[in-house]
């Protein structure tokens, strides 16, 4: 089961990087497998992930290898413990991040964004990797699949990492359309 999960996460990492939703050392991925989670290592390049870029950790308690895990480990753990979602994708999409500076919600105007996402909440810019951020993100993701952190990026959660990635991809396209409509960008 773990090998299959890692294979899916590797593919999602490649898609995120190919679409420009993360840069070389940004973003992180995880999957809950019963009482443990598999998460990307700190500093992993999501576009070039290998099997050794993942760490398996218990969901509860401390572990010797947790310092090597993503800097957002506490956020991933809180999402896995407090929501029904078993896959978490964190990315830094540019257009979404730009809109997060000026909005408390992002409401797509394109039909796909409206239908698939609805209104997406933007929460304050808590310190990355903090317990405050973890609690705020998990709270929103109890009843949603996406949350934007002002000036930081997006956390998406679902039952499968591909769906979590797809939500971010759709949101970024919707944000580009919003910026294009306002004349803030010249090309889509």
């Amino acid at each position: 089961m773990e090998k299959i999960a890692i294979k899916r996460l590797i593919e999602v990492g490649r898609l995120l990087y190919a679409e420009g939703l993360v840069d070389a050392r940004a973003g992180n991925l995880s999957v809950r497998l019963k009482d443990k989670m598999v998460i990307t290592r700190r500093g992993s390049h999501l576009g070039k992930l290998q099997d050794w870029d993942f760490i398996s950790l218990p969901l509860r308690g401390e572990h010797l290898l947790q310092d090597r895990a993503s800097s957002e480990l506490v956020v991933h753990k809180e999402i896995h413990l407090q929501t029904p979602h078993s896959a978490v994708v964190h990315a830094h999409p540019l257009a979404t991040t730009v809109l997060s500076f000026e909005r408390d919600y992002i409401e797509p105007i394109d039909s796909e964004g409206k239908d698939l996402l609805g209104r997406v909440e933007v929460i304050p810019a808590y310190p990355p990797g903090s317990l405050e951020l973890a609690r705020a993100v998990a709270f929103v993701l109890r009843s949603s699949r996406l949350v934007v952190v002002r000036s930081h990026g997006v956390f998406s959660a679902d039952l499968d990492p591909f769906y979590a990635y797809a939500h971010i991809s759709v949101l970024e396209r919707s944000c580009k359309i919003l910026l294009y409509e306002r004349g803030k960008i010249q090309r889509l």
Side-chain angles (χ1 to χ4, degrees), residues 47-82:
K48 297 179 182 267
L49 291 171
Q50 301 292 326
D51 290 351
W52 57 79
D53 287 308
F54 296 91
I55 299 174
S56 181
L57 298 170
L59 278 175
R60 299 184 191 282
E62 304 291 314
H63 191 275
L64 181 65
L65 295 178
Q66 73 185 33
D67 289 342
R68 295 181 185 178
S70 165
S71 60
E72 298 287 5
L73 172 63
V74 67
V75 181
H76 285 257
K77 272 190 173 186
E78 195 72 12
I79 294 166
H80 288 306
L81 290 170
Q82 302 298 327

Side-chain angles (χ1 to χ4, degrees), residues 22-34:
V22 295
D23 59 32
R25 295 188 47 124
N28 32 74
L29 314 169
S30 72
V31 172
R32 181 180 67 228
L33 301 170
K34 296 185 182 177

Side-chain angles (χ1 to χ4, degrees), residues 76-173:
H76 285 257
K77 272 190 173 186
E78 195 72 12
I79 294 166
H80 288 306
L81 290 170
Q82 302 298 327
T83 77
H85 307 297
S86 55
V88 178
V89 174
H90 173 50
H92 302 262
L94 185 59
T96 303
T97 304
V98 167
L99 284 176
S100 78
F101 286 101
E102 61 187 49
R103 297 174 182 222
D104 293 328
Y105 291 93
I106 295 174
E107 295 188 64
I109 58 173
D110 60 297
S111 62
E112 185 177 21
K114 281 181 183 179
D115 290 345
L116 295 176
L117 306 177
R119 188 164 115 157
V120 179
E121 187 170 348
V122 177
I123 62 172
Y126 297 99
S130 68
L131 187 55
E132 296 85 5
L133 176 63
R135 288 178 176 156
V137 167
F139 179 79
V140 174
L141 292 179
R142 284 182 191 151
S143 59
S144 181
R145 295 172 299 187
L146 274 170
V147 62
V148 178
V149 180
R150 184 167 284 118
S151 79
H152 182 97
V154 179
F155 284 90
S156 179
D158 209 308
L159 296 176
D160 183 280
F162 181 80
Y163 295 133
Y165 141 75
H167 304 318
I168 295 172
S169 180
V170 172
L171 177 63
E172 179 67 357
R173 183 175 183 279

